[in-house]
Amino acid sequence: MRLPLFLLILLVAALAMWVPAIHALILDDHQTSRSFFYSGVVGLIVVVLVGLSMGNRVPRYSMPGQLTSLLASFAVLPAFLAVPVQDALGNTSYLNAYFDMVSAITTTGADVFADPNRLPPSVHLWRAMVGWLGGLLMWVAASAILAPLSLGGFEVTARGEPGRGTETPLHMQRADPRRKLVVVTKTLAPLYAGLTLVLWILLIVTGETALVALGHAMSVLATSGISAVGGAENGASGIAGEMVMFLFMFFALSRLTFSTDTVTSGHSRLDRDPEFRIGLLIVFGVPLLLILRHWIASFDVATTSDLVQGLHSWWGATFTVLSFLSTTGFESADWETARQWSGLDTPGMILLGLAVIGGGVATTAGGVKLLRVYALYLNGLREMERLIHPSSVSNEGKGNRRLQRNGAFVAWVFFMLFALSLAVISISLAAVGSDFEQALILTIATLSTTGPLTEIAGSEPIALIHLTATAKLILCFAMVLGRLETLAIIALMTPNLWRS
């Protein structure tokens, strides 16, 4: 029996519920165990009944159908994922549980339950698992669904028009979408699971407890920022654990760090990848500016130089910058030291800007994406060159073979759509009671899938649980929009895509 893609994803989610059920049973938490076990059984029954009702009908794995299934996975599937969470807690509304599951599967990590002690350990495990599965879904979808349609950042590369992908290589055009989906999953899923396992073991070695280490390992690979202790700064692994997580966060800067399956033009060398190079420039450049800020301020104010404090400050800034650039959202235990040492009282704008830039195309990171920033950077250089030499001819052979001819234009269109979405959602949140600062932080946090911004970017943490029901639904929409991106939603409403 061959099932549609969304039912296959539902089947995986139903089977995954038995993992926290077994975990809760081991911990003698029978109420939580029953919630997850029976919810998984219900999910299996639904899949079987729908599968039997389809009979011998062979489902079509067309590109529009797969894109619709991807949308349903982020918007509809959390309605099922939230059932055991709401039942296990018993003292929260279904809307809060749904919000939390949308936040997890879109790898946003906006924590509606501010106090981690409120949740049973098995629920913490489930939240991390949902975020991890959402990250795996994006890894697979990037190559099997978004790349052939020139969406998700691939519209900037040398492929085709957004939503059509007319310049896709011939062998990819003729490939069976279902077969490609299976091949990509078999290739990337073991790699994704293997990296998570390695990071989990390393975190345990550095002194972290097993459950917290597993949650942080899943969150780093998925860039979800979900933690069972309220953040990496509250973990037991200390700076050694942060160093290990720091290395694995680089996988969110470029897909070339783990795969070359989406490379169709240019080169596949990581050291020549513009995304990775821009990411490195930001990761090490921003902390350097903060250090210079300290030394410049020391000319006016008498300060005592402390090398150890300076190193802690540099590390806290470097880890936090990469964490928010990759849209993971973990804060270093030394970030407070970095703020005090550099005299940075209000770090919100820096972190918001990093989250808006985001990580690499076809990774689990959100935001505008580094490749689009690179395309706009090249276009800016070209325009300044034309101001000086109006008759000059652009040299397209230096480092920009990966971009199509109108890449900068398409990147600018996406940036304008992102800005328009930011404005509309901010106004909508303001209309339901949020002030300007809160609305702006909430909007950027959800559109860039960097949920921890709600706790660190403002002068005071934002209590998501106290938001109105309408505001929570608006934020759920923003998280789905930020994960799939505006161009993909527009492509779904384009008749030409369905006729292709």
Side-chain angles (χ1 to χ4, degrees):
M1 181 171 57
R2 297 174 65 180
L3 298 175
L5 179 58
F6 178 71
L7 282 182
L8 288 175
I9 296 174
L10 178 60
L11 176 62
V12 172
L15 293 174
M17 285 184 177
W18 289 351
V19 175
I22 296 173
H23 180 263
L25 185 63
I26 295 174
L27 297 179
D28 204 25
D29 185 358
H30 296 283
Q31 169 62 31
T32 303
S33 180
R34 283 194 296 267
S35 299
F36 282 100
F37 177 77
Y38 291 139
S39 298
V41 171
V42 170
L44 288 178
I45 292 175
V46 170
V47 172
V48 171
L49 291 178
V50 174
L52 291 175
S53 67
M54 295 181 64
N56 295 326
R57 214 169 128 203
V58 178
R60 291 181 58 191
Y61 284 80
S62 61
M63 285 300 171
Q66 290 186 359
L67 193 58
T68 304
S69 297
L70 192 61
L71 174 61
S73 299
F74 294 127
V76 180
L77 183 62
F80 169 64
L81 303 178
V83 172
V85 175
Q86 195 269 340
D87 186 63
L89 295 180
N91 58 354
T92 190
S93 66
Y94 178 76
L95 178 58
N96 287 337
Y98 174 77
F99 179 94
D100 191 62
M101 288 296 98
V102 172
S103 173
I105 199 169
T106 57
T107 71
T108 302
D111 194 356
V112 69
F113 307 111
D115 183 11
N117 296 322
R118 180 183 177 185
L119 306 181
S122 300
V123 175
H124 281 299
L125 175 62
W126 176 240
R127 296 176 70 242
M129 286 179 58
V130 172
W132 185 80
L133 291 172
L136 175 60
L137 183 60
M138 285 308 301
W139 265 31
V140 173
S143 179
I145 302 175
L146 300 179
L149 292 174
S150 292
L151 295 171
F154 293 103
E155 72 278 357
V156 180
T157 62
R159 287 181 177 271
E161 298 179 6
R164 300 185 66 180
T166 54
E167 296 181 13
T168 306
L170 187 60
H171 70 280
M172 293 181 64
Q173 293 179 13
R174 294 176 179 176
D176 178 17
R178 179 180 178 274
R179 178 176 175 80
K180 181 174 178 57
L181 190 64
V182 172
V183 171
V184 172
T185 303
K186 287 183 178 179
T187 303
L188 293 182
L191 176 63
Y192 190 71
L195 290 172
T196 306
L197 178 62
V198 171
L199 179 55
W200 181 30
I201 294 174
L202 290 176
L203 287 175
I204 292 177
V205 170
T206 58
E208 194 61 83
T209 60
L211 177 62
V212 176
L214 180 59
H216 287 176
M218 289 181 170
S219 298
V220 168
L221 265 297
T223 67
S224 64
I226 296 173
S227 173
V229 291
E233 69 276 12
N234 298 322
S237 58
I239 192 171
E242 290 184 3
M243 289 181 176
V244 172
M245 288 187 284
F246 180 80
L247 295 177
F248 281 79
M249 286 180 189
F250 281 102
F251 287 106
L253 295 186
S254 172
R255 192 174 180 88
L256 292 182
T257 54
F258 57 87
S259 177
T260 58
D261 59 342
T262 59
V263 177
T264 59
S265 60
H267 45 71
S268 59
R269 287 181 53 177
L270 183 62
D271 61 328
R272 295 183 180 178
D273 180 38
E275 286 188 309
F276 194 72
R277 294 168 71 176
I278 292 178
L280 289 179
L281 178 63
I282 295 174
V283 169
F284 294 105
V286 173
L288 179 61
L289 291 177
L290 293 178
I291 292 176
L292 290 177
R293 175 187 172 93
H294 166 77
W295 291 115
I296 293 175
S298 67
F299 285 109
D300 300 325
V301 181
T303 60
T304 302
S305 299
D306 187 342
L307 179 60
V308 175
Q309 187 181 20
L311 291 175
H312 278 282
S313 173
W314 173 82
W315 171 251
T318 303
F319 178 89
T320 306
V321 165
L322 177 57
S323 178
F324 279 87
L325 181 65
S326 65
T327 68
T328 302
F330 279 153
E331 176 187 350
S332 172
D334 290 321
W335 172 240
E336 191 64 29
T337 302
R339 289 179 54 189
Q340 295 175 358
W341 201 76
S342 62
L344 189 65
D345 296 327
T346 55
M349 291 303 296
I350 293 179
L351 301 180
L352 290 172
L354 292 170
V356 168
I357 294 174
V361 167
T363 65
T364 55
V368 174
K369 303 295 177 58
L370 291 169
L371 188 61
R372 294 190 179 104
V373 173
Y374 177 67
L376 294 175
Y377 164 74
L378 288 182
N379 186 68
L381 288 181
R382 175 58 186 154
E383 291 301 320
M384 288 188 290
E385 182 183 358
R386 291 178 61 184
L387 287 175
I388 302 174
H389 306 288
S391 301
S392 64
V393 178
S394 174
N395 184 3
E396 297 184 355
K398 288 189 176 181
N400 57 349
R401 295 176 182 174
R402 190 177 175 186
L403 306 180
Q404 64 161 311
R405 187 173 184 180
N406 296 324
F409 173 75
V410 179
W412 181 252
V413 169
F414 175 84
F415 187 81
M416 288 296 100
L417 289 174
F418 186 90
L420 180 62
S421 302
L422 192 152
V424 170
I425 295 173
S426 297
I427 293 173
S428 301
L429 290 174
V432 295
S434 298
D435 57 41
F436 175 78
E437 179 186 7
Q438 186 182 78
L440 181 64
I441 293 174
L442 288 173
T443 303
I444 294 179
T446 51
L447 283 180
S448 66
T449 67
T450 317
L453 280 172
T454 59
E455 301 176 7
I456 189 176
S459 55
E460 295 291 337
I462 300 174
L464 298 176
I465 200 168
H466 295 151
L467 297 176
T468 63
T470 305
K472 291 175 183 175
L473 291 176
I474 292 173
L475 292 178
C476 287
F477 170 78
M479 286 186 282
V480 175
L481 182 63
R483 181 72 280 178
L484 264 186
E485 298 186 350
T486 315
L487 287 177
I489 305 297
I490 294 176
L492 273 175
M493 297 184 292
T494 304
N496 291 334
L497 177 65
W498 294 92
R499 286 198 295 263
S500 59

